[in-house]
Amino acid sequence: MVLIFLVPAVAAVIAVAVFVIGDRLRPLSWVETDDESAGSLVLELINTLFLAVVAFVVVILWQEYDNAHNHTIAEAKALVDTYWTAHALPDPEHRQIQGLVRDYTDQVLTQEWPIMQADRRLSQPTQETFDSLRDAVASVNSTDPDVGELRTKAMDSLDAVAEARQDRAMDASYHMPGFLYAALWFGTVLLLCTAVLNGVEVTKRSLLMTALLGVVVGSAVLAIYNLDRPFSGGNSVPRDAFEYAMSRYQNIT
C-alpha cells in the first residue's frame, strides 16, 4: 500500500529534479519561451496512459469473460455426456441418475444463476444435488462388465463437470485487481481535465467536444465495469449452454 503512493511521489521528484538540472545544463538555444511544448507533452502522456490502461484492462476482462463462458459450455457438455451414458444403464440406476442430472441442471438455471448474479458465489443446495449425483453413480454395482464400463465413463464425465463447476465458482468470484481500477480512475480524471490543462476557451463548440469526450470515457468505464462481473451486469455470460442441455435431455429420453 505504501508503494502505491511512494513510487509515484519519488518519480515526480526525480522528474522535477531532472528538469531543473537539465535546464541549467542545456544550451540556451534549446530553451523555449512558453509552456506550450511542455503542456503538449503532458497531454500526450495523459492520452497514452488512459488508452494503455483501458486496452490492458479490456483485454484481461474479456479473456476472463470468454473463459467463464467456455467453462459453462464444458460443464453442460459433460452433463449431457453423463445423461447419455446413464441412458444405457439398467433400472433403477438409469432413472435415478438421469433424474439427478436433470435436477442439478435445473437448479443451476433457476437457483444458482441468480445467486451468482447477486452474491458472486455458487449455491450450496445445488452443490449438494451434484454430490448426490456423484454418489449415485459411484454406488452403481454390477458384475456385468458393460455396466462397469458405463459407470467408469459416467464418473469421468462427472469429474469434468466438477472441474468446470470449480472453474465457474472462481469466475463468479473474480474481481479486477484494485490497482488496475486505481490506474483507470486516475487516467480518467486526468483525461477529463485535459481541456482545462490545455487552456481551451469555453465556447459552444468546446462544450460539445468535452461532452462527447465524457460520453466516450463514461462508456468505456461502464463497459469495463460490466465485464468485471461475468455473471451479472449488462454483459453477463448467457445460460444457453445449460438451456441446450435441458433440451437434449428431452430428446434423449
Side-chain angles (χ1 to χ4, degrees):
M1 191 66 181
V2 175
L3 291 177
I4 295 178
F5 300 99
L6 181 61
V7 172
V10 171
V13 172
I14 294 175
V16 172
V18 170
F19 176 64
V20 174
I21 296 173
D23 181 63
R24 296 178 180 275
L25 298 178
R26 66 185 174 181
L28 293 177
S29 59
W30 291 8
V31 179
E32 298 187 11
T33 58
D34 55 30
D35 296 333
E36 183 178 353
S37 59
S40 299
L41 175 62
V42 172
L43 294 178
E44 290 178 3
L45 289 175
I46 292 174
N47 293 334
T48 302
L49 171 65
F50 181 79
L51 292 175
V53 171
V54 169
F56 182 70
V57 169
V58 167
V59 168
I60 291 178
L61 293 182
W62 182 258
Q63 184 177 7
E64 180 64 27
Y65 173 88
D66 191 52
N67 289 338
H69 192 201
N70 290 336
H71 293 154
T72 62
I73 294 175
E75 184 177 358
K77 288 175 63 177
L79 286 170
V80 173
D81 290 340
T82 304
Y83 194 90
W84 182 257
T85 302
H87 191 66
L89 289 172
D91 284 327
E93 290 85 358
H94 162 78
R95 296 183 181 275
Q96 180 188 14
I97 294 174
Q98 285 192 333
L100 287 171
V101 172
R102 286 195 303 269
D103 292 342
Y104 171 76
T105 308
D106 180 70
Q107 288 180 11
V108 170
L109 287 170
T110 60
Q111 300 179 20
E112 192 162 64
W113 216 272
I115 293 177
M116 288 193 299
Q117 291 176 335
D119 302 329
R120 294 190 172 191
R121 62 178 180 85
L122 301 189
S123 166
Q124 183 58 34
T126 306
Q127 178 64 53
E128 293 173 357
T129 301
F130 179 69
D131 293 338
S132 299
L133 171 59
R134 298 189 77 172
D135 290 339
V137 174
S139 63
V140 174
N141 188 14
S142 175
T143 57
D144 188 342
D146 292 336
V147 175
E149 184 178 351
L150 290 171
R151 173 186 175 278
T152 301
K153 186 177 179 181
M155 288 300 299
D156 291 341
S157 297
L158 289 179
D159 288 341
V161 174
E163 182 179 356
R165 177 176 174 81
Q166 183 176 1
D167 291 336
R168 182 160 56 87
M170 299 300 295
D171 296 332
S173 61
Y174 176 81
H175 288 277
M176 187 174 71
F179 75 92
L180 286 180
Y181 263 124
L184 176 64
W185 287 117
F186 181 70
T188 300
V189 171
L190 289 180
L191 187 63
L192 294 178
C193 293
T194 53
V196 176
L197 297 175
N198 202 29
V200 177
E201 184 181 357
V202 178
T203 62
K204 291 182 179 180
R205 182 173 181 272
S206 63
L207 287 175
L208 177 61
M209 297 303 295
T210 303
L212 291 176
L213 175 64
V215 171
V216 172
V217 172
S219 299
V221 173
L222 179 61
I224 290 173
Y225 178 73
N226 286 331
L227 283 175
D228 192 30
R229 301 179 298 163
F231 289 101
S232 59
N235 191 33
S236 60
V237 173
R239 314 182 191 190
D240 52 357
F242 291 98
E243 292 171 347
Y244 176 75
M246 291 293 289
S247 65
R248 287 289 295 134
Y249 301 158
Q250 297 177 358
N251 293 335
I252 293 173
T253 301

